[in-house]
């Protein structure tokens, strides 16, 4: 009996390690966007991701047939929303100047591609509010001066708007 349990635990650990190896980078990037930190120096994002992955691992056996990435993303969003007050101060990252709720909506909608209805349900907000948060955050990002990344101009297009980017998210 113990041998069978040990084999199951070993298989569970291997499966979860394989999942983290495949999805960990994208989840860390999402956590970095959420916390508003600069990539490469994001201790709060790493702590946030660790907490989300720990909760995902705790429910790993119950995920049969479900998408583990969606579960980990949901845990990440919930962990961020629960402690969003910690991430109010700008930290210099791409989305660091936005309020935490706008960062969360942008990351889920634009980076992760989650539908407005799903974001609204996950955050307990009306769909219209999610849409307004997303539009407002995009407008804020567009109104900022460009960051250190150079604007690439297409040789086939001319005019003032030829090389500008539509959005920074």
């Amino acid at each position: 009996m113990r041998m069978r349990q040990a084999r199951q635990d070993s298989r569970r650990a291997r499966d979860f390690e394989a999942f983290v190896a495949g999805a960990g980078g994208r989840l860390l990037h999402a956590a970095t966007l959420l916390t508003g930190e600069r990539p490469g120096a994001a201790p709060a994002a790493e702590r946030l991701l660790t907490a989300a992955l720990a909760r995902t691992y705790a429910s790993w056996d119950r995920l049969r047939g479900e998408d583990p990435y969606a579960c980990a993303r949901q845990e990440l969003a919930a962990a961020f929303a629960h402690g969003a007050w910690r991430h109010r101060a700008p930290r210099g990252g791409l989305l660091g100047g936005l309020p935490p709720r706008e960062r969360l909506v942008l990351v889920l909608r634009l980076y992760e591609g989650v539908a407005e209805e799903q974001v609204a349900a996950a955050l307990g907000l009306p769909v219209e509010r999610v849409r307004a948060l997303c539009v407002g955050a995009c407008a804020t990002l567009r109104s900022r001066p460009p960051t250190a990344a150079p604007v690439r101009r297409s040789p086939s297009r001319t005019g003032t708007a030829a090389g500008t980017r539509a959005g920074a998210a």
Side-chain angles (χ1 to χ4, degrees), residues 98-168:
L98 295 174
R101 185 178 279 179
E102 287 183 3
R103 268 186 267 154
L104 180 57
V105 168
L106 271 187
V107 170
L108 291 175
R109 286 284 299 126
L110 301 180
Y111 180 71
E112 290 292 329
V114 179
E116 284 179 342
E117 294 81 13
Q118 290 175 318
V119 173
L123 300 180
L125 298 171
V127 174
E128 296 79 22
R129 180 68 179 139
V130 169
R131 189 175 300 128
L133 285 167
C134 192
V135 167
C138 287
T140 300
L141 290 175
R142 283 188 193 111
S143 68
R144 285 189 189 163
T147 57
V151 175
R152 294 184 181 163
R153 301 207 182 269
S154 173
S156 63
R157 300 169 91 190
T158 57
T160 57
T164 59
R165 289 187 275 179

Side-chain angles (χ1 to χ4, degrees), residues 31-96:
T32 302
L33 289 172
L34 286 172
T35 59
E37 296 173 303
R38 294 182 191 273
E46 291 172 2
R47 285 191 303 274
L48 184 67
L49 179 58
T50 300
L53 288 176
R55 292 186 57 86
T56 302
Y57 185 72
S59 63
W60 192 254
D61 290 335
R62 294 186 299 261
L63 292 178
R64 303 207 187 257
E66 292 184 38
D67 181 13
Y69 185 84
C71 177
R73 180 182 58 221
Q74 183 177 353
E75 292 293 348
L76 184 66
F80 177 77
H82 181 71
W85 59 271
R86 294 182 185 115
H87 307 288
R88 280 187 275 178
R91 299 180 185 213
L94 179 64
L95 304 179

